[in-house]
Amino acid sequence: MPRILIIEDEAPIRRVLNKILSEENDNYLVQEAEDGLKGIELVKNEDFDLILCDIKMPKMDGVEVLEAVKKIKPEIPMVMISGHGDLETAVNTMRLGAFDYISKPPDLNRLLNTVRNALDKKQLIVENKILKKKVSKNYEMIGESEAIRHIKTMIDKVAATDARVLITGPNGTGKELVAHQLHEKSNRSFQPIIEVNCAAIPSELIESELFGHVKGAFTSAVKDRAGKFEAAHGGTIFLDEIGDMSLPAQAKVLRALQENLIQRVGADKDIKVDVRVIAATNKDLKKEIEEGRFREDLYHRLAVILIKVPALNDRREDIPSLLEHFATKIADEQGSAKKTFSNEAIKMLQEYDWTGNIRELRNVVERLIILGGHEISETDVALFASK
């Protein structure tokens, strides 16, 4: 049942809007607030699917209300109500994130169409959030070891900020899971997280990949192309294996962090970007700095918050939970019955030397499920879990 909040200082207009909405759909639950301050208080304490908000109001005008709501509950669509003299301001509110605006006195069809479209958008956001929760299971952090609890606590503290985070740890430990958790728990979660594997992109192409290029910038640049920073505008960019980035690219990333400006390869025009940067590496960046392969100023820009992901050998107590998680996931993927592990098999796997970390464990579990018995036994582990 859609809930709509009307924030309007003129009582006759509130009544008209309420009457129009109630007659259109008796399922609409409509609440009223006579000024912006009361409206903000209602938004903080209750859930709404749509807000209709006047622009010219005492105490707090509609633009201020819009900005406040976008900070508190950015997913709520807002339709601004403008008088004849407010049209320029109303258009500007669209740039600030308003869904639409309607003029006074409201045209019946225009108002109802706008309300229906805004509610449809809110429903899409809800459905996307549900889908995102399903998708985010791919990025669950499994385990209750002290190290994992510490990382989860750090994520909860840091996610809501825009602080840059540097994630360190060996290959295969799940650094990308930390990056996705930081994004999904942030205020930017409605925007994309763009991943860039710096180690997988040739050094001569990394700048174009990150910042884009203009037509003719180099031989294969046959048209203008936006880069990853532009694609991540409003969201998060995850620079994985940043220790493998070339020094020229590092210099450009540093400028992007310092000034929130980028420049496409071959262009002389600056582009303003709003991105949160999360980086990860399996290298010792301080050693890389000493050897001249990584910029110290970039390191200090990136490492506002440091999160170290431990090797699996350092969190063996999490292996039973990981086995259960992978067994369930693989059964779902294969459409087969879930297999269990005997206590002896679990103990053997806990004593294994996991040089490949979580990634290696996942591969071994899949192999055991395919080749082992209904219950994975000590014998199955001895036969099939060897390197």
Side-chain angles (χ1 to χ4, degrees):
M1 192 172 285
R3 302 192 67 204
I4 302 173
L5 174 62
I6 300 170
I7 306 175
E8 165 64 67
D9 62 311
E10 297 183 50
I13 294 179
R14 288 202 306 273
R15 284 196 297 271
V16 168
L17 291 171
N18 199 330
K19 185 172 185 292
I20 291 172
L21 294 171
S22 300
E23 289 179 353
E24 161 66 11
N25 192 326
D26 55 13
N27 283 327
Y28 290 164
L29 292 177
V30 183
Q31 279 186 259
E32 299 178 12
E34 64 269 17
D35 60 59
L37 291 175
K38 185 175 179 183
I40 291 297
E41 197 59 34
L42 286 169
V43 171
K44 286 180 180 176
N45 297 314
E46 300 184 38
D47 291 324
F48 293 98
D49 298 292
L50 172 63
I51 298 172
L52 302 178
C53 182
D54 190 16
I55 290 178
K56 295 290 185 185
M57 293 185 294
K59 297 184 182 178
M60 189 179 199
D61 69 29
V63 176
E64 293 172 309
V65 175
L66 172 64
E67 291 175 332
V69 170
K70 288 302 169 187
K71 289 179 181 175
I72 302 166
K73 294 180 179 176
E75 71 277 10
I76 304 177
M78 286 187 65
V79 175
M80 310 307 292
I81 304 169
S82 66
H84 179 71
D86 304 330
L87 281 176
E88 186 178 345
T89 305
V91 172
N92 286 334
T93 63
M94 301 282 285
R95 299 192 185 100
L96 294 172
F99 178 79
D100 204 347
Y101 65 89
I102 54 174
S103 301
K104 294 180 182 178
D107 174 83
L108 178 63
N109 289 330
R110 161 100 165 132
L111 171 63
L112 294 178
N113 282 333
T114 301
V115 166
R116 282 192 289 265
N117 291 337
L119 289 173
D120 285 346
K121 180 187 177 183
K122 178 60 164 55
Q123 182 59 32
L124 281 173
I125 289 172
V126 171
E127 289 170 0
N128 283 338
K129 283 180 79 174
I130 294 169
L131 180 62
K132 206 166 191 185
K133 283 181 180 176
K134 292 178 182 175
V135 171
S136 68
K137 288 183 179 179
N138 293 324
Y139 302 106
E140 279 184 281
M141 296 192 68
I142 307 299
E144 290 300 326
S145 62
E146 185 178 344
I148 292 303
R149 285 202 305 271
H150 174 70
I151 291 172
K152 289 177 180 178
T153 301
M154 287 282 285
I155 289 171
D156 289 339
K157 286 182 178 179
V158 174
T161 74
D162 271 344
R164 290 183 285 273
V165 181
L166 178 61
I167 307 163
T168 63
N171 282 333
T173 51
K175 296 187 289 296
E176 71 281 3
L177 302 189
V178 177
H180 278 268
Q181 287 282 307
L182 285 165
H183 175 73
E184 290 184 4
K185 293 188 176 186
S186 76
N187 296 328
R188 295 174 178 265
S189 60
F190 291 100
Q191 299 297 329
I193 177 170
I194 303 297
E195 298 184 53
V196 182
N197 187 333
C198 301
I201 303 169
S203 58
E204 64 272 15
L205 296 179
I206 186 72
E207 289 182 47
S208 171
E209 190 71 18
L210 290 174
F211 309 112
H213 59 253
V214 296
K215 182 180 178 180
F218 45 86
T219 306
S220 58
V222 293
K223 62 180 180 179
D224 289 0
R225 181 176 176 274
K228 300 295 189 183
F229 268 84
E230 286 179 75
H233 182 72
T236 303
I237 189 164
F238 174 42
L239 302 174
D240 198 9
E241 303 303 349
I242 196 166
D244 292 284
M245 184 181 287
S246 67
L247 286 168
Q250 289 178 35
K252 288 198 173 185
V253 170
L254 179 64
R255 182 179 183 239
L257 299 186
Q258 289 173 327
E259 303 174 22
N260 295 322
L261 294 172
I262 63 163
Q263 202 171 87
R264 291 183 180 180
V265 176
D268 53 12
K269 179 184 175 184
D270 288 333
I271 299 171
K272 190 167 183 63
V273 290
D274 170 27
V275 297
R276 183 189 193 172
V277 177
I278 299 173
T281 182
N282 63 348
K283 293 186 174 181
D284 181 346
L285 289 188
K286 290 188 175 179
K287 185 178 179 183
E288 294 294 301
I289 291 167
E290 289 174 8
E291 296 179 2
R293 290 192 293 267
F294 201 83
R295 295 181 62 115
E296 185 173 12
D297 46 5
L298 178 57
Y299 172 80
H300 290 301
R301 288 278 177 181
L302 292 170
V304 177
I305 303 292
L306 276 167
I307 296 180
K308 183 177 181 180
V309 184
L312 183 55
N313 287 341
D314 295 328
R315 46 177 288 220
R316 294 178 186 275
E317 62 268 44
D318 289 332
I319 287 177
S321 300
L322 288 163
L323 294 174
E324 171 71 16
H325 170 73
F326 288 136
T328 301
K329 190 171 182 180
I330 290 165
D332 289 344
E333 290 172 357
Q334 296 180 352
S336 59
K338 180 183 166 185
K339 292 189 177 183
T340 58
F341 289 78
S342 71
N343 291 333
E344 293 77 14
I346 293 171
K347 286 178 184 176
M348 280 186 72
L349 290 168
Q350 282 183 294
E351 293 169 2
Y352 199 85
D353 182 20
W354 296 103
T355 54
N357 295 294
I358 307 293
R359 195 174 295 146
E360 182 186 9
L361 176 64
R362 206 271 190 204
N363 291 342
V364 166
V365 171
E366 185 167 9
R367 191 187 313 146
L368 288 167
I369 286 173
I370 294 169
L371 301 176
H374 180 68
E375 180 184 67
I376 308 300
S377 67
E378 190 175 3
T379 303
D380 291 327
V381 173
L383 285 172
F384 306 124
S386 58
K387 292 188 179 182

